[in-house]
């Protein structure tokens, strides 16, 4: 296949990963995005807000998502011991469930997987598992992907695109693209020429603390759908969360939610408190409280995960231009909270779709 001009819309984790996979085909790739890695955090740019860790609950009931997640884990596990090591942290992860979970567990493919004994469960948990995985320092990882893309000869154009016809006509680019790949995340809902009304926000709120003594991950999934997690990063920062609120567009952290997150995470991980302070509390027989974490809080934040009714949109088509011509287009968006953990798998599928479209 000859080298063609491919334009990728979006510079989140999905857009960057997809652009890298397309480069492997030998094409000239340009990313067009309003926000880029390294920018000040914004509610309009979701990927930097992610935790993130690789924990996939998809099994045989959704083999496509399961396979994308497992493919991505294999790539990230290898990356975590290579040149991208600084982006990752290999950890022991413990998952607590408020209800009994029947075997087999879809996580049983993870390194050193095992079921917890009843004596090892936290209050509020009826079952649990333990395994090894990786956490991803999201801002660091996004910069790594962008740097790798640029080193491979990729081009970046910062622009706010109202309609994909602006790209097809060459309005923002030095040359017209031979194909478009849409990785617009939550923006796919309003991007002209796509306007996918099945896309909706899943708002998540987090607290970032400085706690380099925490080198393990814990999560509790409650009956009411509440999701409590501790995700350490290689830098020594730790993400605490979280929330999952469909169709909630609120752009700022809610103080009452921050308090709730701190209370929940302390309930499953009192070790978040600085060791000397925790030892003092234990001598007094006092449980840690949110105020015991105030001195190590770095920031509170929230992001809008790009949910989609029907799941990820991974398909190809043709976009008709005003002058009657058509251009191949591939869609890769709607990952919800699974953007990082499925990124390499969905990028590989999108790249295969592009090859078919250009054949």
């Amino acid at each position: 296949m000859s080298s063609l001009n491919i334009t990728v819309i979006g510079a989140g984790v999905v857009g960057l990963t997809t652009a890298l996979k397309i480069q492997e085909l030998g094409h000239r790739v340009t990313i067009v995005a309003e926000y880029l890695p390294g920018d000040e955090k914004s509610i309009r740019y979701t990927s930097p807000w992610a935790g993130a860790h690789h924990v996939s609950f998809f099994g045989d009931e959704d083999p496509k998502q399961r396979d994308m997640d497992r493919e991505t884990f294999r790539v990230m596990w290898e990356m975590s011991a290579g040149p991208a090591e600084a982006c990752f942290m290999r950890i022991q992860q413990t998952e607590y469930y408020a209800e009994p979970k029947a075997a087999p567990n879809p996580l049983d493919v993870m390194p050193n997987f095992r079921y917890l004994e009843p004596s090892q469960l936290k209050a509020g948990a009826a079952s649990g598992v333990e395994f090894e995985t990786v956490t991803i320092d999201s801002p660091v990882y996004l910069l790594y992907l962008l740097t790798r893309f640029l080193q491979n000869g990729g081009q970046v154009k910062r622009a706010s695109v109202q309609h994909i016809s602006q790209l097809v006509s060459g309005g923002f680019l030095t040359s017209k693209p031979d194909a478009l790949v849409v990785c617009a995340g939550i923006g796919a809902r309003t991007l002209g020429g796509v306007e996918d009304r099945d896309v909706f926000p899943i708002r998540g709120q987090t607290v970032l603390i400085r706690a380099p003594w925490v080198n393990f991950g814990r999560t509790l999934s409650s009956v009411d759908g509440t999701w409590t997690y501790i995700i350490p990063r290689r830098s020594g920062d730790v993400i605490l969360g979280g929330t999952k609120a469909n169709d909630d567009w609120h752009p700022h952290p809610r103080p009452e939610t921050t308090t709730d997150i701190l209370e929940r995470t302390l309930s499953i991980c009192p070790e978040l408190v600085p060791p000397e302070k925790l030892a003092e509390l234990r001598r007094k027989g006092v449980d840690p409280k949110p105020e015991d974490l105030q001195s190590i809080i770095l920031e509170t934040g929230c992001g809008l995960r790009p949910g989609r009714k029907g799941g990820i949109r991974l398909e190809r088509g043709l976009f008709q231009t005003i002058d009657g011509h058509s251009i191949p287009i591939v869609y890769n968006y709607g990952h919800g909270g699974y953007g990082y953990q499925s990124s390499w798998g969905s990028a590989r599928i999108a790249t295969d779709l592009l090859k078919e479209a250009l054949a």
Side-chain angles (χ1 to χ4, degrees):
M1 185 183 299
S2 60
S3 180
L4 300 173
N5 294 316
I6 312 298
T7 296
V8 174
I9 305 173
V13 66
V14 173
L16 291 165
T17 308
T18 303
L20 284 168
K21 289 297 292 184
I22 295 171
Q23 285 182 321
E24 294 178 6
L25 301 179
H27 295 309
R28 298 178 295 275
V29 185
T30 300
I31 293 174
V32 178
E34 183 176 1
Y35 295 94
L36 297 169
D39 287 357
E40 183 177 351
K41 286 183 176 179
S42 167
I43 193 67
R44 293 171 59 83
Y45 185 32
T46 301
S47 286
W49 290 110
H53 61 188
H54 199 292
V55 178
S56 173
F57 300 106
F58 292 98
D60 294 340
E61 76 286 350
D62 192 342
K64 184 177 181 179
Q65 183 71 52
R66 175 201 64 199
D67 292 348
M68 286 190 296
D69 290 359
R70 292 181 180 179
E71 179 178 348
T72 301
F73 177 74
R74 289 192 293 270
V75 173
M76 287 185 167
W77 188 257
E78 183 176 339
M79 292 174 75
S80 69
E85 181 181 10
C87 304
F88 299 94
M89 184 178 180
R90 291 188 179 187
I91 63 163
Q92 178 177 286
Q93 174 72 20
T94 305
E95 293 283 320
Y96 298 108
Y97 308 119
E99 297 179 306
K101 287 277 187 179
N105 189 300
L107 289 163
D108 62 9
V109 298
M110 302 296 279
N112 295 313
F113 174 91
R114 71 179 185 89
Y115 291 95
L116 296 180
E117 299 294 333
S119 61
Q120 297 175 303
L121 299 176
K122 293 286 185 181
S127 61
V129 298
E130 189 176 87
F131 52 92
E132 290 181 34
T133 189
V134 293
T135 67
I136 306 107
D137 192 330
S138 306
V140 175
Y141 182 61
L142 293 171
L143 281 170
Y144 165 80
L145 294 178
L146 178 61
T147 299
R148 187 168 147 188
F149 171 75
L150 294 172
Q151 289 174 341
N152 290 346
Q155 300 293 315
V156 173
K157 175 68 176 179
R158 188 190 293 271
S160 177
V161 179
Q162 283 77 48
H163 198 286
I164 56 176
S165 63
Q166 295 172 316
L167 300 174
V168 173
S169 65
F172 289 119
L173 307 170
T174 56
S175 57
K176 293 183 180 180
D178 296 298
L180 293 177
V181 182
V182 179
C183 303
I186 195 72
R189 181 178 174 88
T190 55
L191 177 62
V194 180
E195 295 167 291
D196 190 338
R197 307 308 288 180
D198 287 333
V199 173
F200 63 95
I202 308 173
R203 185 181 180 276
Q205 185 165 321
T206 59
V207 183
L208 181 68
I209 66 171
R210 182 67 182 170
W213 54 88
V214 177
N215 58 4
F216 52 84
R218 288 181 190 165
T219 299
L220 172 63
S221 301
S222 301
V223 176
D224 62 2
T226 304
W227 184 38
T228 303
Y229 57 79
I230 292 98
I231 304 177
R233 292 174 172 176
R234 191 181 187 91
S235 64
D237 295 345
V238 180
I239 285 279
L240 309 179
T243 64
K244 293 186 288 186
N246 291 355
D247 294 311
D248 184 351
W249 292 89
H250 190 68
H252 305 295
R254 295 184 173 103
E256 64 274 19
T257 302
T258 295
T259 300
D260 178 60
I261 289 170
L262 296 177
E263 291 175 343
R264 286 190 282 119
T265 51
L266 281 171
S267 72
I268 65 169
C269 189
E271 300 95 323
L272 294 171
V273 176
E276 291 184 3
K277 178 66 175 178
L278 182 60
E280 177 187 345
L281 293 172
R282 285 175 169 170
R283 284 195 301 269
K284 295 179 178 178
V286 177
D287 291 331
K289 294 180 172 56
E291 51 263 34
D292 296 316
L293 297 177
Q294 289 300 320
S295 64
I296 58 173
I297 292 177
L298 300 177
E299 71 174 10
T300 59
C302 58
L304 304 179
R305 306 178 186 98
R308 184 174 182 271
K309 299 172 186 176
I312 301 172
R313 186 181 186 186
L314 271 167
E315 60 187 26
R316 62 183 175 91
L318 290 173
F319 178 76
Q320 301 294 326
T321 63
I322 294 176
D323 58 8
H325 292 85
S326 60
I327 181 174
I329 186 168
V330 172
Y331 304 93
N332 183 15
Y333 63 81
H335 293 66
Y338 311 116
Y340 281 84
Q341 75 181 42
S342 64
S343 54
W344 288 99
S346 67
R348 192 260 310 155
I349 293 174
T351 303
D352 289 344
L353 291 170
L354 180 65
K355 287 194 292 185
E356 294 173 5
L358 295 173

